[in-house]
Every structure is written in C-alpha cells, then in structure tokens.
C-alpha cells in the first residue's frame, strides 16, 4: 500500500490529526469582544482568512459569547472552540439569504452558520458550543415541505475533503443541525447535539463517501442520524458506532432523499430512545394505538423511493425503546430523477436488536409490484410490543401507495402482522426472531404477501401472543425450521 493511501486510511480512522500548521490566532487578540452583544463576525472571518493565506492554522475562540453572522471555513484551518466558548448565530434571516450563493444547488442547499465549499483539511474542534438561536420568531415558517424561506443550518460543508468535527456541542438550529453534502474523508466524533426549537431539526445529515461517525449524543426534533443522497453519486463507505440517538421522528434513517443511493454502510452499537422534548409531533394524539406520550417513529428506517440503489447495509447491536416501529424497510416509486427504472433495495443484514415498541404498526419490509426488496436477513431480534390486535386488522386491505412519502404509518395505524409484515419481497431470512406482547394479539406474527423465498429458524412468540404464527398470500418457497410450509 502506498504512502498516500496509508495516510488517507489513518485520517478516516481518526488516528492521524488533520495536518495543520502551527500558527494559532486568538480572535480576542485581533478585536473580538465575546460579550454576547457585539457582532464579532469580522474578526472570526479575518482570523480564518489569515490562517488560510499563510498555509493553515488554528483559529482559537476563548471563553465568551460571540455573536456572529455566517462565516466561511477554508482549507487547512481548524476552528477551535475553547471550554466556555459560545458562538451565537444571528437571528436575522437576511444575514443568511445571500451569504454563500451556489448555482445549481439541490433543494437542501441553504446557508450555514459555519460554511465551507470545495475546501480540504478543515476542522471544527474543542469543547465549546455553537447555538443557532433557531427558536427565534424570525425562523418560524413551519415544515419545509410546506414552503417558506430557506432556514440556515449550523454546519454546512459542501464538496469538502478531509473533515474533522469533534467534541463540540451543537444546539438550537433553525433547520438541520449539520449537513455534509458530497464530502469525502469525514470524521465526526464526540458531538453533543440538542435541537428542539424548530421544524426539520435533523441531528446529522450525511451525503458523503468514506466517513466515520462515533461517540455522539443526539437528541432532536426530527431524524437523529440521516443518510442522504441528493446526487447521482452514492453515499457510501460509512461506519456509525457508539451513538445515543433520541428523536421524535426516525432514529437511524436512510433517505428519504435517495436519488443516487447508499452502499457499503455499517451502523453498530447504538441506543435509540425517545427525545427529551416533543414540541411539535405529539404522536399519541395524532395516531391510534400509540401507548406512550413521546415516541420515535422508527428505530431503523431504510428507504429507497427515488430511483437509486441501496446495497450492502449492515446494522447490528442496537438497543431501542419508545419506538412505534423498530424496523421499517421500504422500496417505493416516488420519483426517478437520475434513473428511468424503479430503484433497488437489496443485501440488508440486521442483527442483535432488542426493542420495545409502543404501537400496533409492526415492522415491515415492503416493495412494489414491479420491484421486490431482495436478500434481507434479520437475525437475533427480540421485540416487545403492546398487543391488542384484532381479527379485522388481519383482513383489512393494505394500500400500495407506491408514490407516497415513506413512513411507518403510510399503510395505516395497524398492519395485518403483529411482528413483521412483508410484501413484494424475495429471499427474506428470519433467524432467532422472538416476540412478546403485553396483552393477547389475534394477528399472526408474520404476514407474507407476494413473497418468494422465506426462511424462518427459531422464530416464535411468547404468551400471551396469539398462537397463529404465519399467514401468507400469493407467496411461495416458505420454510420454518427446515420444514417447507407450502409443499
């Protein structure tokens, strides 16, 4: 292996710090006040520009409160926030509107308080805080799906290479907290993220290649960790590990934007729980059969609906509570931006999951009539759910909704299967999957509709779960513990 490849590998593993020059600029030495009233943007940007011009360095932000407008991070510069340092974002939307215009951008491109485009060797480090003041009335426009002005993110890096963001606290974003779009060689470690002040408060959105995300605590209004794909290029070669996620939406999500797709991604050793606040969703008041006041929509959501490819996803060692649906896998046909064909979703391995569900919306693996989900393996899973399902839930018609936004409740507030509902799929494997319900449930544990090739081993429910185990419609090649059920 040549030296350049070794160096690149070490950077990704976090074993080699970003190489920066020894120059350090303390922004208070060049005029920044840090009094929470004075606009210190000029001095912060001046320090970044000077380090960049001289080949790199560290911009040091000492303890204090620094009111800033958007700043642009540049190559070979480490923005380092000392203990007690607080960067406080402007609440004037006009400060962000034209700060860093980009031509030909995607719908997700907006401004960022800390922004970089096309830069290399950049870092945001330290134990300080970045606060976007996203709860300000000037940022309240509702869900972005309903229109309204673009709101800023806290960190927004586009087409950057060799990135480290470590140890800082990010809070109160007006929009997504952080977004890494078309970036490469990314290390995100030890972040503390809290944002419940606005709609679309995603915790971490990543559309990148070659990334390590670890040891983060994320508690947000919208999706906690969200893999995005807004371009023809794949989001790929990423590992996520040792994170605690709390959300009022989905905890670990692939999509919804899935134009290019996701490949070769591993998520392991994570915890999922309900968020500390719920200022918007209130699912227990909106949906039927929700048994807890604050819930996560899906602990794991894998969604391909935009004509791209999902191939080679491994998720393991996840402990989750307070979820409506532990596992949601969906291949749909919402749009085909870069492809003339329906997307594909295959080669998924999910293992070692312990989950407590708080709804009757079971786990689901669903494709569409024209395209099946393929090669999904579910191993060593224990799920506790409320129970209480009735016979009429088994026989109800489940809509296809091929073009709909993918979410666990897209088929209704219940599903015909109590454990897993699988439709339009091929080669699905369940090994040591166990269920227990708090009260009896008349639904079968597994409901298969238009599925070819199903293997179940050591799968069972526990009393008072209903004795009925499997119900099938138009399905074939089904075996349970080595016995063929339809031959």
């Amino acid at each position: 292996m040549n030296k350049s490849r070794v160096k690149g590998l070490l950077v990704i593993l976090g074993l080699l710090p970003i190489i920066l020059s020894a120059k350090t600029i303390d922004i208070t030495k060049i005029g920044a006040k840090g009094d929470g009233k004075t606009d210190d943007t000029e001095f912060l940007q001046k320090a970044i520009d000077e380090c960049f011009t001289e080949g790199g360095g560290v911009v040091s932000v000492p303890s204090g409160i620094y009111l800033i407008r958007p700043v642009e991070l540049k190559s070979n510069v480490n923005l380092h926030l000392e203990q007690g340092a607080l960067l406080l974002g402007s609440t004037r939307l006009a400060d962000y509107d034209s700060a860093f215009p980009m031509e030909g951008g995607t719908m997700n491109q907006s401004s960022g308080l800390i922004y970089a485009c096309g830069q290399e060797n950049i870092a945001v480090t330290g134990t300080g805080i970045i606060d976007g003041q996203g709860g300000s009335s000037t940022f309240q426009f509702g869900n972005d799906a309903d229109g309204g002005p673009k709101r800023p993110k806290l960190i927004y890096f586009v087409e950057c290479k060799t990135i480290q963001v470590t140890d800082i606290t990010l809070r109160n974003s007006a929009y997504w907290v952080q977004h890494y779009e078309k970036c490469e060689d990314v290390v995100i470690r030890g972040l503390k993220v809290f944002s419940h002040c606005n709609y679309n408060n995603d915790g971490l959105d990543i559309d990148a290649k070659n990334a390590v995300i670890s040891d983060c605590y994320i508690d947000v209004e919208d999706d906690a960790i969200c893999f995005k794909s807004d371009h023809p290029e794949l989001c790929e070669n990423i590992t996520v590990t040792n994170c605690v996620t709390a959300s009022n939406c989905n905890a670990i999500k692939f999509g919804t934007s899935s134009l290019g797709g996701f490949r070769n991604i591993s998520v392991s050793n994570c915890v999922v729980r309900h968020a500390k606040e719920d200022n918007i969703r209130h699912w227990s008041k909106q949906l039927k059969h929700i048994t807890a006041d604050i819930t996560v929509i899906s602990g794991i959501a894998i969604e391909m609906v935009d004509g791209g490819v999902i191939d080679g996803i491994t998720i393991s060692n996840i402990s989750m509570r307070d979820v409506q649906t532990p596992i949601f896998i969906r291949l749909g046909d919402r749009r085909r931006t870069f492809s003339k064909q329906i997307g594909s979703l295959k080669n998924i391995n999910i293992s070692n999951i312990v989950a407590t569900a708080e709804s009757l919306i079971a786990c689901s693996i669903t494709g569409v009539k024209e395209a099946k989900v393929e090669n999904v393996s579910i191993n060593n899973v224990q799920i506790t759910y409320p129970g209480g399902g009735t016979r009429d839930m088994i026989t109800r018609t489940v809509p296809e909704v091929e073009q709909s936004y993918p979410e666990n409740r897209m088929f209704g507030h219940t599903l015909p299967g109590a454990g897993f509902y699988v439709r339009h799929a091929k080669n699905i494997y369940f090994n040591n999957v166990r269920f227990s319900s708090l009260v009896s449930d008349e639904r079968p544990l597994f409901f298969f509709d238009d599925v070819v090739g199903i293997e179940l081993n050591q799968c069972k429910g526990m009393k008072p779960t209903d004795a009925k185990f499997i119900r099938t419609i138009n399905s074939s090649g089904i075996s349970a513990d080595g016995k063929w059920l339809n031959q």
Side-chain angles (χ1 to χ4, degrees):
M1 186 178 292
N2 61 45
K3 291 182 179 179
S4 62
R5 291 186 64 188
V6 170
K7 178 180 176 181
L9 179 61
L10 290 174
V11 168
I12 287 299
L13 292 175
L15 301 177
L16 179 67
I18 294 177
I19 304 301
L20 299 172
S21 75
K23 183 179 183 64
T24 297
I25 299 178
D26 179 338
I27 64 170
T28 62
K29 303 299 184 184
I30 60 172
K33 300 298 184 183
D35 58 10
K37 300 177 181 179
T38 305
D39 186 339
D40 286 321
T41 310
E42 174 187 352
F43 306 106
L44 181 56
Q45 190 65 63
K46 180 180 178 181
I48 293 172
D49 293 345
E50 184 174 333
C51 284
F52 169 71
T53 300
E54 297 190 14
V58 178
V59 174
S60 177
V61 182
S63 178
I65 302 175
Y66 303 85
L67 183 63
I68 63 169
R69 291 172 284 111
V71 296
E72 184 176 10
L73 194 57
K74 298 183 178 180
S75 293
N76 301 315
V77 177
N78 177 6
L79 175 59
H80 184 77
L81 308 182
E82 302 287 352
Q83 179 68 34
L86 170 61
L87 297 183
L88 207 55
S90 167
T91 58
R92 295 182 67 252
L93 191 61
D95 289 339
Y96 301 91
D97 285 343
S98 58
F100 309 111
M102 287 179 288
E103 295 182 2
T106 70
M107 63 172 289
N108 293 323
Q109 287 180 327
S110 59
S111 188
L113 186 62
I114 310 298
Y115 171 84
C117 182
Q119 305 301 304
E120 297 186 11
N121 282 357
I122 58 175
V124 183
T125 64
T127 55
I129 300 170
I130 302 176
D131 189 319
Q133 301 192 90
S136 168
S137 60
T138 58
F139 295 132
Q140 301 303 317
F141 301 104
N143 196 315
D144 63 356
D146 299 327
K150 293 283 188 180
R151 289 169 278 140
K153 304 158 188 172
L154 292 188
I155 295 177
Y156 186 25
F157 293 162
V158 184
E159 297 182 346
C160 295
K161 295 181 179 180
T162 314
I163 299 166
Q164 286 195 15
V165 180
T166 60
D167 300 324
I168 60 173
T169 295
L170 301 172
R171 68 189 191 194
N172 300 328
S173 181
Y175 191 50
W176 299 353
V177 174
Q178 53 190 318
H179 186 197
Y180 306 88
E181 183 173 3
K182 296 186 71 175
C183 292
E184 296 183 25
D185 303 342
V186 181
V187 173
I188 299 169
R189 184 179 62 249
L191 303 189
K192 292 170 281 296
V193 179
F194 189 89
S195 195
H196 285 277
C197 60
N198 214 319
Y199 286 82
N200 313 110
N201 272 174
D202 286 9
L204 194 164
D205 293 277
I206 186 158
D207 183 353
K209 298 179 185 291
N210 309 326
V212 173
I213 300 166
S214 68
D215 308 302
C216 295
Y217 172 86
I218 300 174
D219 190 324
V220 289
E221 166 58 31
D222 214 304
D223 302 322
I225 297 175
C226 191
F227 298 90
K228 297 285 189 183
S229 181
D230 284 305
H231 306 274
E233 298 83 1
L234 292 172
C235 174
E236 61 181 343
N237 307 330
I238 298 174
T239 181
V240 176
T241 191
N242 297 339
C243 293
V244 176
T245 61
S247 168
N248 291 316
C249 286
N250 301 282
I252 300 164
K253 179 178 178 179
F254 294 77
T256 299
S257 297
S258 49
L259 281 63
F262 312 99
R263 183 173 63 189
N264 200 30
I265 296 174
S266 171
V267 180
S268 65
N269 302 327
C270 292
V271 169
V272 175
R273 64 162 179 78
H274 72 73
K276 286 187 176 180
E277 297 181 14
D278 181 6
N279 303 317
I280 296 173
R281 309 289 172 172
H282 309 299
W283 295 120
S284 61
K285 298 179 180 179
Q286 292 192 49
L287 307 179
K288 297 178 180 178
H289 314 297
I290 302 295
T291 54
D293 290 336
I294 303 179
T295 54
V296 182
I297 294 178
S298 295
I300 299 166
I302 302 175
E303 304 168 355
M304 171 50 64
V305 294
D306 295 330
V309 175
I310 294 182
D311 187 359
I313 307 299
T314 299
I315 301 176
S316 61
N317 299 334
I318 310 295
S319 176
M320 61 177 82
R321 299 186 63 85
D322 318 308
V323 298
Q324 297 171 24
T325 302
I327 299 169
F328 175 77
I329 300 174
R330 174 61 174 170
L331 172 61
D333 191 19
R334 181 175 68 169
R335 59 187 178 192
R336 307 179 191 180
T337 304
F338 300 118
S339 172
K340 295 181 180 180
Q341 300 177 338
I342 299 174
S344 63
L345 198 165
K346 59 185 179 180
N347 301 326
I348 310 298
N349 190 305
I350 298 175
S351 63
N352 300 330
I353 309 296
V354 177
T356 300
E358 300 288 354
S359 84
L360 297 187
I361 309 175
C363 299
S364 63
I365 303 171
T366 62
V368 294
K369 292 179 180 179
E370 298 81 6
K372 287 180 165 60
V373 177
E374 298 185 47
N375 302 337
V376 177
S377 181
I378 310 292
N379 303 284
N380 301 324
V381 173
Q382 300 177 40
I383 296 175
T384 301
Y385 65 102
T390 58
R391 291 186 181 277
D392 61 304
M393 295 177 185
I394 304 173
T395 57
R396 79 174 185 85
T397 300
V398 179
E400 291 286 347
V401 287
E402 294 183 354
Q403 298 180 338
S404 295
Y405 186 92
E407 203 74 275
N408 70 333
R409 61 189 180 278
M410 65 187 301
F411 304 116
H413 296 178
T414 67
L415 283 171
F420 270 88
Y421 175 76
V422 184
R423 182 169 67 179
H424 306 317
K426 180 179 180 181
N427 298 332
I428 310 298
Y429 305 92
F430 294 97
N431 179 61
N432 190 28
V433 179
R434 314 263 174 137
F435 303 92
S436 62
S437 63
L438 301 182
V439 300
S440 62
D441 197 305
E442 297 190 26
R443 298 172 297 169
L445 289 176
F446 295 91
F447 194 106
F448 302 126
D449 184 354
D450 185 28
V451 183
V452 178
I454 306 162
E455 182 177 328
L456 302 99
N457 293 295
Q458 297 182 327
C459 298
K460 68 178 184 178
M462 297 173 62
K463 291 184 178 181
T465 303
D466 181 67
K468 295 184 179 64
F469 186 59
I470 298 173
R471 178 74 64 90
T472 67
I473 300 175
N474 300 323
S475 297
S476 62
I478 305 171
S479 70
D481 295 322
K483 297 180 180 181
W484 293 97
L485 302 185
N486 57 342
Q487 292 183 356

